Amino acid sequence: MALRIVPVRPDTVALWRDVHNLVIPAHPLSLDEVRERSQRNRLTLAHDGGTPVGNATIRPPGPGSRTATVIVRILPRYRRQGLGTQYLDAQLADARALGAQRIETVVLAANRDGLEFARRHGFVEFDRYTLDGEDAEYVDLYLAS
Ligand SMILES: CC(C)(COP(=O)(O)OP(=O)(O)OC[C@H]1O[C@@H](n2cnc3c(N)ncnc32)[C@H](O)[C@@H]1OP(=O)(O)O)[C@@H](O)C(=O)NCCC(=O)NCCS
């Protein structure tokens, strides 16, 4: 079944946050942080039939930039069915429609499946770092193909 991808709305901010915090427990977000991000970024939820299965973030190119960041997240129990690939393809198309010529993503270094997924989809690592006050290591990748 095709994923149904819908922009986050005021009544789905909590669901978006819950999906984010389940997939990225190293960096939990509050409702206010998600609301603030929804002003700057394109936040969506993905549904398979009636069931929420994941969420995504597109950071559009800023002024004078042609780079967008795309991050898709699928809840663990719905993985390895092709949903992440379907979601990523749709989000890459949306990012390009926003003017992006370079596309980047961010994956937790500990997330081997996520790194492998990104590499299989043409992303190449260009940076690794930790954020202030956090132990988790992040990997920045750009889409080379
Ligand atoms: C990365 C992530 C989105 C992948 O989601 P997913 O729904 O499992 O993705 P897919 O099912 O499309 O592909 C995952 C793997 O399952 C395999 N697969 C796809 N359909 C399959 C099926 N029907 N049966 C078995 N395996 C299958 C794919 O070959 C793929 O393997 P690969 O990554 O080694 O190429 C998910 O693991 C996730 O949310 N991780 C945390 C967040 C993150 O790291 N995001 C990456 C930033 S873009």
Side-chain angles (χ1 to χ4, degrees), residues 23-24 70-76 78-86 88 105-108 111 113-118 120-121 123:
V23 176
I24 318 284
V70 170
I71 305 168
V72 300
R73 309 174 193 91
I74 296 290
L75 290 167
Y78 302 110
R79 289 179 188 169
R80 307 198 79 82
Q81 304 171 40
L83 297 175
T85 298
Q86 226 185 104
L88 179 66
T105 193
V106 188
V107 182
L108 279 169
N111 176 10
D113 279 358
L115 273 179
E116 189 54 32
F117 174 86
R120 291 272 197 108
H121 286 82
F123 285 90

Side-chain angles (χ1 to χ4, degrees), residues 51-108:
T51 310
V53 294
N55 76 3
T57 301
I58 300 177
R59 295 183 201 137
S65 163
R66 288 293 199 174
T67 300
T69 300
V70 170
I71 305 168
V72 300
R73 309 174 193 91
I74 296 290
L75 290 167
R77 79 168 80 157
Y78 302 110
R79 289 179 188 169
R80 307 198 79 82
Q81 304 171 40
L83 297 175
T85 298
Q86 226 185 104
Y87 204 4
L88 179 66
D89 287 347
Q91 297 296 276
L92 292 178
D94 285 358
R96 291 192 177 106
L98 292 167
Q101 287 177 353
R102 175 181 162 106
I103 296 182
E104 298 180 354
T105 193
V106 188
V107 182
L108 279 169

Side-chain angles (χ1 to χ4, degrees), residues 12-18 20-21 24 27-38 43:
T12 55
V13 165
L15 178 57
W16 194 98
R17 178 213 44 195
D18 291 346
H20 177 278
N21 292 352
I24 318 284
H27 190 83
L29 296 178
S30 69
L31 281 179
D32 279 347
E33 285 172 317
V34 177
R35 287 189 193 103
E36 189 274 326
R37 280 161 197 237
S38 72
L43 305 186

